[in-house]
């Protein structure tokens, strides 16, 4: 059983390993076959250095990305490839690897950097004020798609956002964040 420690600092850059806690002994995963995780960790470290609230932003981003996994995005091919590579280096079954933060860490950090960017927050506020919350939501989802390097993701998320019931909208971490950011209702123009 592998348990991930804390919410930040998962990677030892010097040894290029993802740090884990094992119930009986410390453990780590070599990242030679997962260079995107090392890149994400460098971006994570820069975010932590630049923002005093980085832990909150990363926690929000992790909730957003986890909500995609719950919605069915977990079958996405990039994550499946990462699961296979991770299972190969850990010796675990792929089903044991899927729920771990390492699988979606690069996307989590990409989303965190976007949500924490003051220029994007201002752009979303302006869009919501001028065109409504739905336009701001669509703009944000398109940029998340771009930052996550998944061109198809924006259309998938927009369709999902339009189809979900009001209770699901109110529970969605990204919708709640955008609502608080724009100080507008969830009524779309």
């Amino acid at each position: 059983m592998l348990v991930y420690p804390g919410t930040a600092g998962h990677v030892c850059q010097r040894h290029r390993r993802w740090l884990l806690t094992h119930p009986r002994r410390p453990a780590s995963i070599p990242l030679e076959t997962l260079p995107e995780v090392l890149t994400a960790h460098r971006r994570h470290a820069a975010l932590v250095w630049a923002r005093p609230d980085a832990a909150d932003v990363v926690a929000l981003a992790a909730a957003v990305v986890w909500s995609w996994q719950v919605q069915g995005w977990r079958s996405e091919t990039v994550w499946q490839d990462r699961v296979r590579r991770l299972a190969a280096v850990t010796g675990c079954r792929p089903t044991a690897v899927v729920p771990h933060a390492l699988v979606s860490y690069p996307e989590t950090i990409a989303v965190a950097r976007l949500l924490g960017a003051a220029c994007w927050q201002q752009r979303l506020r302006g869009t919501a004020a001028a065109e409504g919350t739905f336009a701001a939501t669509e703009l944000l989802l398109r940029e998340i798609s771009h930052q996550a390097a998944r061109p198809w993701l924006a259309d998938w998320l927009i369709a999902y956002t339009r189809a979900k019931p009001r209770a699901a909208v109110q529970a969605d971490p990204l919708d709640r964040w955008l609502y608080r950011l724009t100080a507008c209702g969830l009524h779309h123009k």
Side-chain angles (χ1 to χ4, degrees), residues 20 26 54 61 127 140:
L20 302 164
T127 300
L140 178 60

Side-chain angles (χ1 to χ4, degrees), residues 93-144:
R93 291 187 329 251
T95 55
V97 172
V98 170
H100 291 298
L102 179 54
V103 172
S104 58
Y105 183 68
E107 292 75 21
T108 296
I109 298 306
V111 171
R113 292 177 69 214
L114 178 63
L115 298 179
C119 62
W120 265 99
Q121 291 177 6
Q122 187 57 39
R123 186 168 175 194
L124 292 169
R125 283 186 195 104
T127 300
E131 301 172 45
T133 307
F134 184 75
T137 299
E138 199 167 302
L139 176 65
L140 178 60
L141 296 176
R142 292 202 183 284
E143 187 59 21
I144 285 173

Side-chain angles (χ1 to χ4, degrees), residues 9-138:
H10 296 299
V11 175
C12 173
Q13 283 289 112
R14 182 174 175 203
H15 296 103
R16 301 172 59 93
R17 298 185 76 82
W18 181 270
L19 305 175
L20 302 164
T21 302
H22 189 278
R24 294 186 185 90
R25 67 189 186 297
S28 63
I29 297 172
L31 295 173
E32 287 80 17
T33 63
L34 296 158
E36 66 273 29
V37 173
L38 293 169
T39 300
H41 183 65
R42 283 191 296 278
R43 292 176 176 155
H44 186 175
L47 184 66
V48 168
W49 184 79
R51 293 189 59 98
D53 66 341
D56 294 337
V57 173
V58 171
L60 171 62
V64 168
V65 173
W66 178 253
S67 76
W68 298 340
Q69 289 175 308
V70 170
Q71 294 166 16
W73 202 49
R74 67 182 165 272
S75 62
E76 199 266 331
T77 59
V78 172
W79 282 351
Q80 291 305 314
D81 176 58
R82 209 173 286 150
V83 164
R84 282 190 294 279
R85 289 183 285 150
L86 184 55
V89 298
T90 62
C92 294
R93 291 187 329 251
T95 55
V97 172
V98 170
H100 291 298
L102 179 54
V103 172
S104 58
Y105 183 68
E107 292 75 21
T108 296
I109 298 306
V111 171
R113 292 177 69 214
L114 178 63
L115 298 179
C119 62
W120 265 99
Q121 291 177 6
Q122 187 57 39
R123 186 168 175 194
L124 292 169
R125 283 186 195 104
T127 300
E131 301 172 45
T133 307
F134 184 75
T137 299
E138 199 167 302

